[in-house]
Amino acid sequence: MAFAAALAFPALLALYLLRLQRRPLRISSILFWRASASDLQVNTPIAPPRPSWLLLLHAAALLLVVGAIGRPTILQSGGSSSRLIVVIDRSASMSAKDAGEVTARRTRLAEALQQARELVARAGDAGSRVGVVSLAGTARIEASLGPPRAALEALAAITPTDQPANLAAALEVVGSMLRASGVDDDAPPEVVLFSDGDFEEVPASAGLDAALRLVRVGPAPGTSAENLGVVSVAARVDETDPTTLSIFARIQNASLAERSVSVRLSFNGRTVDVRTLRVPPMRGVTGAAPGEASAPMPGEISTVFRLPRGEGGVAAISLGVDPATDLLESDDTAAMLLRPGVLPRVLLVSPNAAARSNADEPDLAGSLLRTVLEELRPASFDAVRADRYEALASEGGLTRYDVIVFDRVQPARSPPIASLSFGAGLDEPGLRLAGAGGDAPEPVLLWDREHPTLRSVTLDGVVASRERRQSAPDESVRAIARGAAAPLVLERATPGLPRRLVVTFALADSNWPLQAGFPIFVKSAIDLLAGFGPGEVTRQFTTAEPARLEVGAAGGPDLASIRFSGPSEIDARVVDGVATLGVVERAGVYVAEFSNAGTSAGTQPPGAGGERSLGVVCVNLLSPRESLVQTSAVVRVGQRMLTETGGEPARREIWAWLLMAAATLLLIEWVVFARSARV
């Protein structure tokens, strides 16, 4: 456009400034002197142009042509379109109570709905069609393009969620609405987004050929947000102690000041542990100028709780915050369902009667060991003699057990599963035992008080005699209890191999079975050897993913439908033994009410243990971005950057209109010239 203007306008001026040079001639009369003088003035080489309608029309037409070459556009927004789509962000951060007047705070969602209703009312006065789309983890059409009255009713029905925001999904839904509504050449559609503006960058593929505006709600960007939230929880089986669960939690601080908060671990509603943490402040606050913002870095701290692994139930991490000052409630608690520990299957192997030197006397120590194992109530318990064990080993019948306890029996072949031995070793490096020691009892001098089997017991006062010594030490075997002359309890915990515990003395040669800590040691040893498996021990879902419940075993073959009671009521049907709840909008603990065909409904309470605990679904927010509750004046959609000052409206080229106007002026110029020529 600038190049065309530089060529055209000087040329136009030249036509009016440069005049023709004529030859001087003698005339015989001055009758036409005035006309000659006027003509002489016109033929002056360079002279200021006289006022002329032709010059004005030529300049205006040329200006329009030059403008058309520049292909100018007009920005159409602000309710001038006949089609208006209102997008309401109802993600978790929109539940922050920091919008509106300082004296009467309300949630950001309430403020957004109020402003949206005012916009829809103005659009109704202009005769526009209005549609409503809600935005959270997914997007849905609340009202199709139609009369504003339907849009106002849809706005009144919108409720908050605890889901993260997904702007790309909302733009896809808006695009489908616009394509279904047809093409309107008069004005492009207008899309108005009511949100706090804190989104992930949206890919360019989600862009719209429409006027897109952002109406920001909430405090100014960079404002300190008084919010603490749980953004991550997990449970793992302790590698060194399978009887203990490690509960991990990460706490986030969105405030500019360090915050002190109490963190509580509860299990099935029962408080297990409470501790106070100091969470660092947020750093890198967003700047005020659009496009010149540094990403805020929230303050974070992690902590680990310990929980004995046993019955199944709901473990919850909750923050002791003041609801009056904390902006979000949905991130103050995170719950997860812990699977119950698997009861082990135990086999006790006792010596053959002929192998005992005092076969006529009752085996009191062996009977006591058997009684302790039975009282542990394992999933299954069998007691066999040494010869029967060898038959089971040769037949492959040991796979039905989780732990084997050898009482003064050294098998011909080591079992392929974990084992506990009393008074006998195993044919493995470091576990082969030599002849017995002296008859004088020796006390236990040292033991590993951090070992899972000895953590809850004391060996003070325990004495033993005739302990057997290692034939040769091995790096993979360590002594967890020692006497004056030899190790008394050995352990091998090599990855990939069955775990071994070997007590180098027989129970009959010790006073240990009479000690109160002996049953505790046996239980801890069985739990450690059984291991419970390091697999999945917890189940939880977030508000951004579909939640599901396996109910085949819990509900029975006639299960027809399930209703989940919690922060909201959810109905689900069962397909192939799995009930899918979909993407749950509100975080919390949902308890299933099973309704079987031909039977009455019954509720499965959380923490009942076994299969009954499968009737619980835990849904958490766990979104660092939503817990940060920051606002933003900039939303990026591909290469477009929307700001709260009006966004980037749709552009419409008007060069064709300019050419039509130039043609009209040239037509007027021809009429004026023709009239002057006739005169």
Side-chain angles (χ1 to χ4, degrees), residues 15-44:
L15 292 177
Y16 281 85
L17 292 178
L18 299 178
R19 306 303 181 185
L20 295 176
Q21 291 285 347
R22 296 185 180 183
R23 292 183 300 110
L25 296 175
R26 294 179 181 271
I27 60 175
S28 60
S29 173
I30 61 172
L31 178 63
F32 303 103
W33 183 261
R34 292 183 179 178
S36 298
S38 176
D39 185 63
L40 180 64
Q41 183 181 7
V42 170
N43 286 280
T44 302

PDB file of all heavy atoms in Angstrom, residues 15-44:
ATOM      1  N   LEU A  15      -0.206  15.908 -12.695  1.00  0.00           N
ATOM      2  CA  LEU A  15      -1.202  16.216 -13.716  1.00  0.00           C
ATOM      3  C   LEU A  15      -1.827  17.590 -13.521  1.00  0.00           C
ATOM      4  O   LEU A  15      -2.249  18.236 -14.478  1.00  0.00           O
ATOM      5  CB  LEU A  15      -2.298  15.146 -13.721  1.00  0.00           C
ATOM      6  CG  LEU A  15      -1.883  13.748 -14.180  1.00  0.00           C
ATOM      7  CD1 LEU A  15      -3.051  12.786 -14.054  1.00  0.00           C
ATOM      8  CD2 LEU A  15      -1.394  13.791 -15.625  1.00  0.00           C
ATOM      9  N   TYR A  16      -1.913  18.020 -12.253  1.00  0.00           N
ATOM     10  CA  TYR A  16      -2.547  19.305 -11.977  1.00  0.00           C
ATOM     11  C   TYR A  16      -1.537  20.447 -11.807  1.00  0.00           C
ATOM     12  O   TYR A  16      -1.907  21.619 -11.867  1.00  0.00           O
ATOM     13  CB  TYR A  16      -3.412  19.197 -10.721  1.00  0.00           C
ATOM     14  CG  TYR A  16      -4.749  18.541 -10.999  1.00  0.00           C
ATOM     15  CD1 TYR A  16      -4.869  17.170 -10.984  1.00  0.00           C
ATOM     16  CD2 TYR A  16      -5.869  19.317 -11.293  1.00  0.00           C
ATOM     17  CE1 TYR A  16      -6.079  16.565 -11.248  1.00  0.00           C
ATOM     18  CE2 TYR A  16      -7.088  18.724 -11.562  1.00  0.00           C
ATOM     19  CZ  TYR A  16      -7.200  17.342 -11.536  1.00  0.00           C
ATOM     20  OH  TYR A  16      -8.408  16.744 -11.797  1.00  0.00           O
ATOM     21  N   LEU A  17      -0.270  20.128 -11.580  1.00  0.00           N
ATOM     22  CA  LEU A  17       0.732  21.180 -11.401  1.00  0.00           C
ATOM     23  C   LEU A  17       1.442  21.525 -12.701  1.00  0.00           C
ATOM     24  O   LEU A  17       1.815  22.677 -12.947  1.00  0.00           O
ATOM     25  CB  LEU A  17       1.757  20.756 -10.352  1.00  0.00           C
ATOM     26  CG  LEU A  17       1.239  20.643  -8.908  1.00  0.00           C
ATOM     27  CD1 LEU A  17       2.353  20.169  -7.991  1.00  0.00           C
ATOM     28  CD2 LEU A  17       0.704  21.998  -8.427  1.00  0.00           C
ATOM     29  N   LEU A  18       1.680  20.533 -13.528  1.00  0.00           N
ATOM     30  CA  LEU A  18       2.393  20.765 -14.776  1.00  0.00           C
ATOM     31  C   LEU A  18       1.399  21.163 -15.869  1.00  0.00           C
ATOM     32  O   LEU A  18       0.424  20.445 -16.104  1.00  0.00           O
ATOM     33  CB  LEU A  18       3.172  19.520 -15.194  1.00  0.00           C
ATOM     34  CG  LEU A  18       4.257  19.062 -14.206  1.00  0.00           C
ATOM     35  CD1 LEU A  18       4.928  17.794 -14.713  1.00  0.00           C
ATOM     36  CD2 LEU A  18       5.282  20.170 -14.005  1.00  0.00           C
ATOM     37  N   ARG A  19       1.618  22.329 -16.537  1.00  0.00           N
ATOM     38  CA  ARG A  19       0.726  22.817 -17.585  1.00  0.00           C
ATOM     39  C   ARG A  19       1.439  22.780 -18.951  1.00  0.00           C
ATOM     40  O   ARG A  19       2.671  22.759 -19.038  1.00  0.00           O
ATOM     41  CB  ARG A  19       0.294  24.256 -17.288  1.00  0.00           C
ATOM     42  CG  ARG A  19      -0.322  24.418 -15.924  1.00  0.00           C
ATOM     43  CD  ARG A  19      -1.525  23.491 -15.725  1.00  0.00           C
ATOM     44  NE  ARG A  19      -2.119  23.663 -14.412  1.00  0.00           N
ATOM     45  CZ  ARG A  19      -3.100  22.918 -13.949  1.00  0.00           C
ATOM     46  NH1 ARG A  19      -3.570  21.946 -14.686  1.00  0.00           N
ATOM     47  NH2 ARG A  19      -3.587  23.153 -12.750  1.00  0.00           N
ATOM     48  N   LEU A  20       0.648  22.869 -20.023  1.00  0.00           N
ATOM     49  CA  LEU A  20       1.213  22.829 -21.365  1.00  0.00           C
ATOM     50  C   LEU A  20       1.916  24.161 -21.713  1.00  0.00           C
ATOM     51  O   LEU A  20       1.436  25.239 -21.362  1.00  0.00           O
ATOM     52  CB  LEU A  20       0.112  22.563 -22.381  1.00  0.00           C
ATOM     53  CG  LEU A  20      -0.581  21.193 -22.291  1.00  0.00           C
ATOM     54  CD1 LEU A  20      -1.708  21.137 -23.315  1.00  0.00           C
ATOM     55  CD2 LEU A  20       0.418  20.084 -22.496  1.00  0.00           C
ATOM     56  N   GLN A  21       3.046  24.114 -22.428  1.00  0.00           N
ATOM     57  CA  GLN A  21       3.750  25.298 -22.945  1.00  0.00           C
ATOM     58  C   GLN A  21       3.220  25.608 -24.375  1.00  0.00           C
ATOM     59  O   GLN A  21       3.354  24.792 -25.282  1.00  0.00           O
ATOM     60  CB  GLN A  21       5.265  25.030 -22.986  1.00  0.00           C
ATOM     61  CG  GLN A  21       5.913  24.915 -21.634  1.00  0.00           C
ATOM     62  CD  GLN A  21       6.057  26.281 -20.983  1.00  0.00           C
ATOM     63  OE1 GLN A  21       5.885  27.337 -21.657  1.00  0.00           O
ATOM     64  NE2 GLN A  21       6.370  26.293 -19.703  1.00  0.00           N
ATOM     65  N   ARG A  22       2.618  26.822 -24.605  1.00  0.00           N
ATOM     66  CA  ARG A  22       2.076  27.166 -25.916  1.00  0.00           C
ATOM     67  C   ARG A  22       2.911  28.290 -26.574  1.00  0.00           C
ATOM     68  O   ARG A  22       3.489  29.123 -25.892  1.00  0.00           O
ATOM     69  CB  ARG A  22       0.621  27.605 -25.780  1.00  0.00           C
ATOM     70  CG  ARG A  22      -0.256  26.470 -25.265  1.00  0.00           C
ATOM     71  CD  ARG A  22      -1.719  26.865 -25.253  1.00  0.00           C
ATOM     72  NE  ARG A  22      -2.544  25.780 -24.764  1.00  0.00           N
ATOM     73  CZ  ARG A  22      -3.865  25.840 -24.705  1.00  0.00           C
ATOM     74  NH1 ARG A  22      -4.497  26.961 -25.084  1.00  0.00           N
ATOM     75  NH2 ARG A  22      -4.563  24.823 -24.266  1.00  0.00           N
ATOM     76  N   ARG A  23       2.905  28.356 -27.914  1.00  0.00           N
ATOM     77  CA  ARG A  23       3.665  29.376 -28.651  1.00  0.00           C
ATOM     78  C   ARG A  23       2.965  30.734 -28.564  1.00  0.00           C
ATOM     79  O   ARG A  23       1.739  30.829 -28.693  1.00  0.00           O
ATOM     80  CB  ARG A  23       3.802  28.981 -30.114  1.00  0.00           C
ATOM     81  CG  ARG A  23       4.679  27.765 -30.319  1.00  0.00           C
ATOM     82  CD  ARG A  23       4.846  27.452 -31.800  1.00  0.00           C
ATOM     83  NE  ARG A  23       3.572  27.187 -32.444  1.00  0.00           N
ATOM     84  CZ  ARG A  23       3.015  27.988 -33.308  1.00  0.00           C
ATOM     85  NH1 ARG A  23       3.584  29.168 -33.613  1.00  0.00           N
ATOM     86  NH2 ARG A  23       1.873  27.666 -33.891  1.00  0.00           N
ATOM     87  N   PRO A  24       3.698  31.814 -28.352  1.00  0.00           N
ATOM     88  CA  PRO A  24       3.093  33.162 -28.396  1.00  0.00           C
ATOM     89  C   PRO A  24       2.690  33.538 -29.835  1.00  0.00           C
ATOM     90  O   PRO A  24       3.462  33.344 -30.766  1.00  0.00           O
ATOM     91  CB  PRO A  24       4.195  34.054 -27.861  1.00  0.00           C
ATOM     92  CG  PRO A  24       5.451  33.322 -28.143  1.00  0.00           C
ATOM     93  CD  PRO A  24       5.139  31.861 -28.044  1.00  0.00           C
ATOM     94  N   LEU A  25       1.492  34.039 -29.991  1.00  0.00           N
ATOM     95  CA  LEU A  25       0.965  34.440 -31.299  1.00  0.00           C
ATOM     96  C   LEU A  25       0.417  35.863 -31.227  1.00  0.00           C
ATOM     97  O   LEU A  25      -0.117  36.279 -30.196  1.00  0.00           O
ATOM     98  CB  LEU A  25      -0.148  33.488 -31.742  1.00  0.00           C
ATOM     99  CG  LEU A  25       0.237  32.027 -31.992  1.00  0.00           C
ATOM    100  CD1 LEU A  25      -1.003  31.216 -32.301  1.00  0.00           C
ATOM    101  CD2 LEU A  25       1.248  31.926 -33.116  1.00  0.00           C
ATOM    102  N   ARG A  26       0.549  36.565 -32.378  1.00  0.00           N
ATOM    103  CA  ARG A  26      -0.043  37.886 -32.485  1.00  0.00           C
ATOM    104  C   ARG A  26      -1.526  37.736 -32.818  1.00  0.00           C
ATOM    105  O   ARG A  26      -1.905  36.909 -33.626  1.00  0.00           O
ATOM    106  CB  ARG A  26       0.642  38.720 -33.570  1.00  0.00           C
ATOM    107  CG  ARG A  26       2.090  39.040 -33.236  1.00  0.00           C
ATOM    108  CD  ARG A  26       2.722  39.844 -34.348  1.00  0.00           C
ATOM    109  NE  ARG A  26       4.125  40.129 -34.043  1.00  0.00           N
ATOM    110  CZ  ARG A  26       4.515  41.189 -33.371  1.00  0.00           C
ATOM    111  NH1 ARG A  26       3.641  42.060 -32.908  1.00  0.00           N
ATOM    112  NH2 ARG A  26       5.801  41.397 -33.165  1.00  0.00           N
ATOM    113  N   ILE A  27      -2.331  38.592 -32.185  1.00  0.00           N
ATOM    114  CA  ILE A  27      -3.763  38.546 -32.429  1.00  0.00           C
ATOM    115  C   ILE A  27      -4.220  39.916 -32.915  1.00  0.00           C
ATOM    116  O   ILE A  27      -3.593  40.942 -32.629  1.00  0.00           O
ATOM    117  CB  ILE A  27      -4.531  38.139 -31.166  1.00  0.00           C
ATOM    118  CG1 ILE A  27      -4.271  39.149 -30.042  1.00  0.00           C
ATOM    119  CG2 ILE A  27      -4.138  36.722 -30.715  1.00  0.00           C
ATOM    120  CD1 ILE A  27      -5.075  38.881 -28.813  1.00  0.00           C
ATOM    121  N   SER A  28      -5.300  39.940 -33.644  1.00  0.00           N
ATOM    122  CA  SER A  28      -5.788  41.188 -34.243  1.00  0.00           C
ATOM    123  C   SER A  28      -6.821  41.901 -33.394  1.00  0.00           C
ATOM    124  O   SER A  28      -7.240  43.008 -33.728  1.00  0.00           O
ATOM    125  CB  SER A  28      -6.397  40.888 -35.611  1.00  0.00           C
ATOM    126  OG  SER A  28      -7.484  39.974 -35.464  1.00  0.00           O
ATOM    127  N   SER A  29      -7.222  41.277 -32.303  1.00  0.00           N
ATOM    128  CA  SER A  29      -8.265  41.909 -31.485  1.00  0.00           C
ATOM    129  C   SER A  29      -8.105  41.447 -30.039  1.00  0.00           C
ATOM    130  O   SER A  29      -7.590  40.359 -29.756  1.00  0.00           O
ATOM    131  CB  SER A  29      -9.652  41.530 -32.001  1.00  0.00           C
ATOM    132  OG  SER A  29     -10.657  42.002 -31.122  1.00  0.00           O
ATOM    133  N   ILE A  30      -8.557  42.299 -29.133  1.00  0.00           N
ATOM    134  CA  ILE A  30      -8.538  41.933 -27.710  1.00  0.00           C
ATOM    135  C   ILE A  30      -9.948  41.623 -27.210  1.00  0.00           C
ATOM    136  O   ILE A  30     -10.253  41.720 -26.033  1.00  0.00           O
ATOM    137  CB  ILE A  30      -7.912  43.063 -26.889  1.00  0.00           C
ATOM    138  CG1 ILE A  30      -8.728  44.346 -27.032  1.00  0.00           C
ATOM    139  CG2 ILE A  30      -6.439  43.254 -27.249  1.00  0.00           C
ATOM    140  CD1 ILE A  30      -8.259  45.441 -26.093  1.00  0.00           C
ATOM    141  N   LEU A  31     -10.799  41.275 -28.209  1.00  0.00           N
ATOM    142  CA  LEU A  31     -12.182  40.998 -27.829  1.00  0.00           C
ATOM    143  C   LEU A  31     -12.265  39.855 -26.825  1.00  0.00           C
ATOM    144  O   LEU A  31     -13.074  39.851 -25.896  1.00  0.00           O
ATOM    145  CB  LEU A  31     -12.993  40.688 -29.088  1.00  0.00           C
ATOM    146  CG  LEU A  31     -14.468  40.318 -28.876  1.00  0.00           C
ATOM    147  CD1 LEU A  31     -15.210  41.510 -28.255  1.00  0.00           C
ATOM    148  CD2 LEU A  31     -15.100  39.923 -30.206  1.00  0.00           C
ATOM    149  N   PHE A  32     -11.398  38.883 -27.045  1.00  0.00           N
ATOM    150  CA  PHE A  32     -11.408  37.722 -26.135  1.00  0.00           C
ATOM    151  C   PHE A  32     -10.205  37.763 -25.181  1.00  0.00           C
ATOM    152  O   PHE A  32      -9.579  36.766 -24.882  1.00  0.00           O
ATOM    153  CB  PHE A  32     -11.385  36.421 -26.943  1.00  0.00           C
ATOM    154  CG  PHE A  32     -12.516  36.307 -27.914  1.00  0.00           C
ATOM    155  CD1 PHE A  32     -12.315  36.533 -29.255  1.00  0.00           C
ATOM    156  CD2 PHE A  32     -13.792  35.998 -27.454  1.00  0.00           C
ATOM    157  CE1 PHE A  32     -13.367  36.437 -30.151  1.00  0.00           C
ATOM    158  CE2 PHE A  32     -14.833  35.899 -28.359  1.00  0.00           C
ATOM    159  CZ  PHE A  32     -14.636  36.118 -29.704  1.00  0.00           C
ATOM    160  N   TRP A  33      -9.858  38.975 -24.720  1.00  0.00           N
ATOM    161  CA  TRP A  33      -8.653  39.144 -23.884  1.00  0.00           C
ATOM    162  C   TRP A  33      -8.770  38.415 -22.554  1.00  0.00           C
ATOM    163  O   TRP A  33      -7.834  37.760 -22.104  1.00  0.00           O
ATOM    164  CB  TRP A  33      -8.425  40.638 -23.662  1.00  0.00           C
ATOM    165  CG  TRP A  33      -7.168  40.911 -22.872  1.00  0.00           C
ATOM    166  CD1 TRP A  33      -7.082  41.178 -21.576  1.00  0.00           C
ATOM    167  CD2 TRP A  33      -5.853  40.912 -23.362  1.00  0.00           C
ATOM    168  NE1 TRP A  33      -5.800  41.371 -21.176  1.00  0.00           N
ATOM    169  CE2 TRP A  33      -4.998  41.203 -22.284  1.00  0.00           C
ATOM    170  CE3 TRP A  33      -5.277  40.705 -24.665  1.00  0.00           C
ATOM    171  CZ2 TRP A  33      -3.609  41.310 -22.438  1.00  0.00           C
ATOM    172  CZ3 TRP A  33      -3.905  40.812 -24.772  1.00  0.00           C
ATOM    173  CH2 TRP A  33      -3.076  41.087 -23.663  1.00  0.00           C
ATOM    174  N   ARG A  34      -9.924  38.526 -21.928  1.00  0.00           N
ATOM    175  CA  ARG A  34     -10.046  37.886 -20.605  1.00  0.00           C
ATOM    176  C   ARG A  34      -9.886  36.367 -20.706  1.00  0.00           C
ATOM    177  O   ARG A  34      -9.221  35.745 -19.881  1.00  0.00           O
ATOM    178  CB  ARG A  34     -11.397  38.211 -20.003  1.00  0.00           C
ATOM    179  CG  ARG A  34     -11.555  39.665 -19.641  1.00  0.00           C
ATOM    180  CD  ARG A  34     -12.897  39.903 -18.991  1.00  0.00           C
ATOM    181  NE  ARG A  34     -13.050  41.302 -18.614  1.00  0.00           N
ATOM    182  CZ  ARG A  34     -14.140  41.823 -18.064  1.00  0.00           C
ATOM    183  NH1 ARG A  34     -15.180  41.014 -17.816  1.00  0.00           N
ATOM    184  NH2 ARG A  34     -14.209  43.114 -17.765  1.00  0.00           N
ATOM    185  N   ALA A  35     -10.502  35.801 -21.711  1.00  0.00           N
ATOM    186  CA  ALA A  35     -10.362  34.342 -21.868  1.00  0.00           C
ATOM    187  C   ALA A  35      -8.924  33.959 -22.163  1.00  0.00           C
ATOM    188  O   ALA A  35      -8.397  32.947 -21.679  1.00  0.00           O
ATOM    189  CB  ALA A  35     -11.273  33.851 -22.979  1.00  0.00           C
ATOM    190  N   SER A  36      -8.231  34.829 -22.946  1.00  0.00           N
ATOM    191  CA  SER A  36      -6.829  34.531 -23.249  1.00  0.00           C
ATOM    192  C   SER A  36      -5.963  34.631 -22.003  1.00  0.00           C
ATOM    193  O   SER A  36      -5.039  33.820 -21.778  1.00  0.00           O
ATOM    194  CB  SER A  36      -6.328  35.490 -24.327  1.00  0.00           C
ATOM    195  OG  SER A  36      -7.058  35.314 -25.513  1.00  0.00           O
ATOM    196  N   ALA A  37      -6.274  35.625 -21.172  1.00  0.00           N
ATOM    197  CA  ALA A  37      -5.495  35.752 -19.939  1.00  0.00           C
ATOM    198  C   ALA A  37      -5.704  34.547 -19.031  1.00  0.00           C
ATOM    199  O   ALA A  37      -4.769  34.033 -18.417  1.00  0.00           O
ATOM    200  CB  ALA A  37      -5.879  37.043 -19.227  1.00  0.00           C
ATOM    201  N   SER A  38      -6.931  34.111 -18.970  1.00  0.00           N
ATOM    202  CA  SER A  38      -7.209  32.917 -18.141  1.00  0.00           C
ATOM    203  C   SER A  38      -6.516  31.703 -18.694  1.00  0.00           C
ATOM    204  O   SER A  38      -5.941  30.898 -17.968  1.00  0.00           O
ATOM    205  CB  SER A  38      -8.722  32.694 -18.069  1.00  0.00           C
ATOM    206  OG  SER A  38      -8.991  31.510 -17.350  1.00  0.00           O
ATOM    207  N   ASP A  39      -6.534  31.554 -20.005  1.00  0.00           N
ATOM    208  CA  ASP A  39      -5.862  30.405 -20.615  1.00  0.00           C
ATOM    209  C   ASP A  39      -4.357  30.497 -20.419  1.00  0.00           C
ATOM    210  O   ASP A  39      -3.677  29.483 -20.239  1.00  0.00           O
ATOM    211  CB  ASP A  39      -6.215  30.366 -22.101  1.00  0.00           C
ATOM    212  CG  ASP A  39      -5.655  29.127 -22.766  1.00  0.00           C
ATOM    213  OD1 ASP A  39      -6.062  28.003 -22.375  1.00  0.00           O
ATOM    214  OD2 ASP A  39      -4.790  29.277 -23.654  1.00  0.00           O
ATOM    215  N   LEU A  40      -3.831  31.701 -20.409  1.00  0.00           N
ATOM    216  CA  LEU A  40      -2.396  31.879 -20.166  1.00  0.00           C
ATOM    217  C   LEU A  40      -2.026  31.433 -18.771  1.00  0.00           C
ATOM    218  O   LEU A  40      -0.987  30.819 -18.551  1.00  0.00           O
ATOM    219  CB  LEU A  40      -2.032  33.357 -20.396  1.00  0.00           C
ATOM    220  CG  LEU A  40      -0.548  33.716 -20.187  1.00  0.00           C
ATOM    221  CD1 LEU A  40       0.315  32.985 -21.210  1.00  0.00           C
ATOM    222  CD2 LEU A  40      -0.346  35.230 -20.313  1.00  0.00           C
ATOM    223  N   GLN A  41      -2.908  31.712 -17.833  1.00  0.00           N
ATOM    224  CA  GLN A  41      -2.635  31.288 -16.449  1.00  0.00           C
ATOM    225  C   GLN A  41      -2.631  29.768 -16.334  1.00  0.00           C
ATOM    226  O   GLN A  41      -1.827  29.179 -15.626  1.00  0.00           O
ATOM    227  CB  GLN A  41      -3.682  31.880 -15.509  1.00  0.00           C
ATOM    228  CG  GLN A  41      -3.436  31.542 -14.054  1.00  0.00           C
ATOM    229  CD  GLN A  41      -4.518  32.128 -13.161  1.00  0.00           C
ATOM    230  OE1 GLN A  41      -5.509  32.672 -13.665  1.00  0.00           O
ATOM    231  NE2 GLN A  41      -4.313  32.030 -11.863  1.00  0.00           N
ATOM    232  N   VAL A  42      -3.525  29.123 -17.044  1.00  0.00           N
ATOM    233  CA  VAL A  42      -3.584  27.651 -17.001  1.00  0.00           C
ATOM    234  C   VAL A  42      -2.322  27.047 -17.567  1.00  0.00           C
ATOM    235  O   VAL A  42      -1.841  26.013 -17.098  1.00  0.00           O
ATOM    236  CB  VAL A  42      -4.835  27.159 -17.764  1.00  0.00           C
ATOM    237  CG1 VAL A  42      -4.804  25.653 -17.942  1.00  0.00           C
ATOM    238  CG2 VAL A  42      -6.087  27.602 -17.057  1.00  0.00           C
ATOM    239  N   ASN A  43      -1.721  27.666 -18.563  1.00  0.00           N
ATOM    240  CA  ASN A  43      -0.549  27.093 -19.218  1.00  0.00           C
ATOM    241  C   ASN A  43       0.756  27.481 -18.555  1.00  0.00           C
ATOM    242  O   ASN A  43       1.822  27.263 -19.102  1.00  0.00           O
ATOM    243  CB  ASN A  43      -0.521  27.517 -20.674  1.00  0.00           C
ATOM    244  CG  ASN A  43      -1.574  26.763 -21.479  1.00  0.00           C
ATOM    245  OD1 ASN A  43      -1.360  25.632 -21.862  1.00  0.00           O
ATOM    246  ND2 ASN A  43      -2.707  27.410 -21.713  1.00  0.00           N
ATOM    247  N   THR A  44       0.672  28.083 -17.339  1.00  0.00           N
ATOM    248  CA  THR A  44       1.887  28.351 -16.585  1.00  0.00           C
ATOM    249  C   THR A  44       2.528  27.018 -16.207  1.00  0.00           C
ATOM    250  O   THR A  44       1.829  26.101 -15.729  1.00  0.00           O
ATOM    251  CB  THR A  44       1.564  29.164 -15.329  1.00  0.00           C
ATOM    252  OG1 THR A  44       0.930  30.376 -15.739  1.00  0.00           O
ATOM    253  CG2 THR A  44       2.821  29.465 -14.545  1.00  0.00           C
TER     254      THR A  44
END
